Amino acid sequence: MRRGLFSLGDLPAWCALNDVKFIDVKIANISGRGYGLVAEKHLANEDDDSDTITILTAPRELILSTDGVEEYAKESKDFRQLLDAAGHQSTRGDILLFLLVQIVLSSPDYEGGHGPSTPWTQYFSLLPREVPTPTMWTESDLVLLKGTSLEPAVSAKLAALTKEFDNLRAKAAGLPFWNELLSIDESITVQDWVFLDALYRSRSLGLPKSGDSMVPCLDLANHSSQPTAYFDENDKGEAVLKLRQGSSVVEGGEITIDYGHNKSPAEMLFSYGFIDPDSTARSLVWPLEPLDDDPLALAKLRAFGALPQLRLQEDDKGTPYWTAPFVYLMCLNEEDGLQFRVLQETDGSRHLSMSWQDVDITDKPSTIQDLIKDHELHQIFELRAVTVVLNIVQQKLEELTNAKGSVPEAAKTEALQAASYLRSLETEIVTKSLQVLEEQTNKLLQDETVITYLQAMGSDENELGAEAANDEDDFS
């Protein structure tokens, strides 16, 4: 459906009508950053003992949260039906359904009769038509992510969004109005759903009382690794923006908040469409797959109960380290003391049980790294894990390097710059991690327990080889 029009010039009247208050700040179009908040005069909160200075307030009624969605469902029969049919799964899902309604209500194609408009209906038309997150990129743009940690993440997200939208259409099939929009006329498509998801991820806030929410005008505050303001909720339930203690903003200077100073470059690009060049957070995450020849692979995945991941991260001194609890499960087998059993309860239900050295660890699979430390072959297990991670990191570095020159002609400049920056940051982390892993491997190979174990394994293999040769001679 066509989007409605609501200009920045109309916003002051909207704010006055809906009791959104700006105190010595205003909205401005900031070069290279879109809309943002700037100070109308010099603002300072330099005394740590002084009261915090509030510079924006939005009434509780405008906070789009779980409660806000439920309040609107009381007013709109059509939305209530959609929410009951396809919602109540998560805060995000319910808010996306609310925003879906705003697409309809704000469109010039809407003929009325299917729910009252809200302040959000107009404000929704002010929000950007495009969000620069990778899920909104074209196919040519997505090629630029090849080899980076975002390649599998974006692919999985797009597949999940497509599945969500298909489920939405199926659940709304019995609702004539929504079925017509989603399935018959297809006035609302999966591209709209992807857009709403990107809008939510890039603009939602974690309010201390209301939880994950969207707040008009407050969501215009841009990010900085050295923010001058923070958001909160006051005793009236209003969402407020306050100047940080010790902060000072000159007249015309931008008011900024922190979107998450610990978020990795990939997380920032994935959720907000940009990478903070001033951030010191350096990490990346890859999904893990079980070893191809592991007969216990499916049992390990089921017992682990979470998405297996490998995380590479740098500490405060820039030294990389890795974490991957599932890797230790990958490297253990029945001969080591890892066992699986299917238990049947008195009610007939069955569940998978996992034990290590005859101790049940079904409820704590991610602690296996700590549990093996007391085993006499601990260093052997550690070597196996380090070797697996080393092989993965070597492969990933090769993928990052080989895909470096692949630039489709149709790729957008903004996407190329963001993807190139991400690739350079991740290549640096992977290269440094590879060096650390090689050092860990060499150190483990010098351990007495490891040396003795490998010598014994070599002796066993030689004996097996000799027996095989003898058997061959006898057969001849």
Side-chain angles (χ1 to χ4, degrees):
M1 299 184 77
R2 290 185 299 163
R3 290 280 301 276
L5 297 176
F6 186 62
S7 69
L8 186 62
D10 298 324
L11 189 59
W14 181 91
C15 290
L17 182 63
N18 293 287
D19 203 25
V20 177
K21 299 175 182 178
F22 293 84
I23 302 98
D24 299 326
V25 297
K26 65 179 181 180
I27 299 173
N29 199 339
I30 301 171
S31 178
R33 291 168 67 85
Y35 291 143
L37 303 177
V38 298
E40 291 188 308
K41 69 174 188 179
H42 177 245
L43 299 175
N45 191 17
E46 298 175 351
D47 186 357
D48 291 343
D49 296 327
S50 63
D51 294 335
T52 54
I53 299 175
T54 300
I55 53 180
L56 186 153
T57 63
R60 184 182 63 83
E61 294 75 20
L62 290 183
I63 298 176
L64 181 52
S65 61
T66 300
D67 291 341
V69 170
E70 187 60 35
E71 286 298 317
Y72 182 68
K74 296 176 182 178
E75 302 175 8
S76 171
K77 178 182 176 181
D78 285 283
F79 179 62
R80 166 58 70 189
Q81 292 175 339
L82 181 65
L83 185 64
D84 289 345
H88 303 304
Q89 300 297 314
S90 66
T91 298
R92 167 190 164 274
D94 291 350
I95 290 179
L96 259 59
L97 290 177
F98 176 89
L99 295 176
L100 188 70
V101 174
Q102 305 317 307
I103 289 183
V104 177
L105 298 182
S106 64
S107 173
D109 301 325
Y110 176 57
E111 297 178 354
H114 294 282
S117 62
T118 75
W120 264 97
T121 306
Q122 282 185 303
Y123 187 78
F124 182 81
S125 299
L126 176 71
L127 298 178
R129 264 65 172 169
E130 293 184 3
V131 183
T133 57
T135 51
M136 296 287 293
W137 289 6
T138 65
E139 290 187 9
S140 296
D141 295 337
L142 291 176
V143 172
L144 301 170
L145 295 176
K146 187 172 180 61
T148 70
S149 64
L150 273 192
E151 181 186 17
V154 174
S155 177
K157 183 63 173 179
L158 289 173
L161 290 171
T162 300
K163 184 177 180 180
E164 281 183 354
F165 188 73
D166 289 342
N167 289 338
L168 171 61
R169 293 203 303 176
K171 292 177 179 179
L175 307 175
F177 174 67
W178 295 110
N179 184 52
E180 182 175 351
L181 285 176
L182 296 168
S183 300
I184 299 177
D185 293 342
E186 294 187 350
S187 302
I188 297 176
T189 66
V190 67
Q191 285 75 24
D192 294 313
W193 189 252
V194 172
F195 164 71
L196 293 180
D197 170 77
L199 203 64
Y200 173 80
R201 282 188 288 116
S202 61
R203 292 180 173 270
S204 60
L205 307 168
L207 294 176
K209 298 176 183 177
S210 300
D212 292 339
S213 310
M214 295 178 70
V215 183
C217 298
L218 200 158
D219 64 352
L220 297 176
N222 287 318
H223 165 79
S224 173
S225 57
Q226 296 181 324
T228 54
Y230 68 97
F231 54 85
D232 200 353
E233 289 176 279
N234 61 21
D235 294 338
K236 299 178 182 178
E238 297 172 320
V240 295
L241 186 65
K242 295 184 176 184
L243 200 66
R244 285 178 176 268
Q245 290 184 338
S247 295
S248 177
V249 184
V250 299
E251 180 180 350
E254 186 177 8
I255 307 293
T256 57
I257 60 175
D258 180 10
Y259 287 6
H261 62 279
N262 289 325
K263 291 182 178 178
S264 70
E267 288 177 292
M268 291 295 292
L269 182 57
F270 182 81
S271 295
Y272 305 108
F274 68 90
I275 299 173
D276 182 2
D278 298 322
S279 173
T280 57
R282 293 289 183 268
S283 66
L284 60 88
V285 176
W286 288 307
L288 283 175
E289 296 289 341
L291 299 175
D292 293 335
D293 57 351
D294 187 354
L296 298 176
L298 292 179
K300 290 177 180 179
L301 280 174
R302 187 178 182 88
F304 192 66
L307 180 65
Q309 294 179 331
L310 167 62
R311 175 180 290 273
L312 302 183
Q313 193 167 351
E314 292 182 4
D315 61 21
D316 296 338
K317 297 180 180 179
T319 303
Y321 62 95
W322 61 272
T323 53
F326 187 73
V327 164
Y328 289 90
L329 274 182
M330 292 170 60
C331 300
L332 297 174
N333 51 52
E334 290 178 320
E335 290 77 10
D336 301 317
L338 184 67
Q339 295 181 328
F340 295 91
R341 290 190 302 166
V342 177
L343 303 180
Q344 184 166 339
E345 304 294 342
T346 55
D347 60 0
S349 62
R350 299 191 300 173
H351 70 271
L352 184 67
S353 170
M354 180 172 65
S355 63
W356 170 251
Q357 299 291 309
D358 298 325
V359 177
D360 192 306
I361 59 170
T362 306
D363 297 330
K364 45 185 178 181
S366 61
T367 64
I368 189 68
Q369 180 180 356
D370 296 324
L371 296 175
I372 64 175
K373 288 182 178 179
D374 295 331
H375 197 282
E376 61 180 355
L377 296 181
H378 167 238
Q379 296 295 71
I380 304 299
F381 303 150
E382 193 70 33
L383 178 61
R384 293 178 190 172
V386 171
T387 302
V388 169
V389 175
L390 177 63
N391 290 335
I392 294 173
V393 172
Q394 285 177 329
Q395 178 186 346
K396 295 300 182 182
L397 180 58
E398 184 178 343
E399 293 174 0
L400 279 166
T401 305
N402 291 342
K404 188 175 182 179
S406 179
V407 181
E409 293 183 3
K412 295 192 294 289
T413 301
E414 296 82 1
L416 174 59
Q417 291 174 343
S420 298
Y421 188 31
L422 176 66
R423 183 181 304 279
S424 66
L425 291 175
E426 294 198 340
T427 300
E428 181 182 352
I429 297 172
V430 173
T431 301
K432 292 168 67 175
S433 298
L434 186 60
Q435 181 179 353
V436 169
L437 285 163
E438 289 174 344
E439 292 173 355
Q440 290 178 346
T441 302
N442 292 332
K443 183 177 180 180
L444 286 166
L445 287 173
Q446 296 173 12
D447 183 86
E448 289 297 331
T449 304
V450 173
I451 293 174
T452 302
Y453 180 84
L454 293 179
Q455 287 177 342
M457 291 293 292
S459 175
D460 290 343
E461 290 179 0
N462 291 335
E463 290 178 5
L464 289 173
E467 290 178 5
N470 291 335
D471 290 343
E472 185 175 344
D473 291 340
D474 292 341
F475 179 75
S476 311

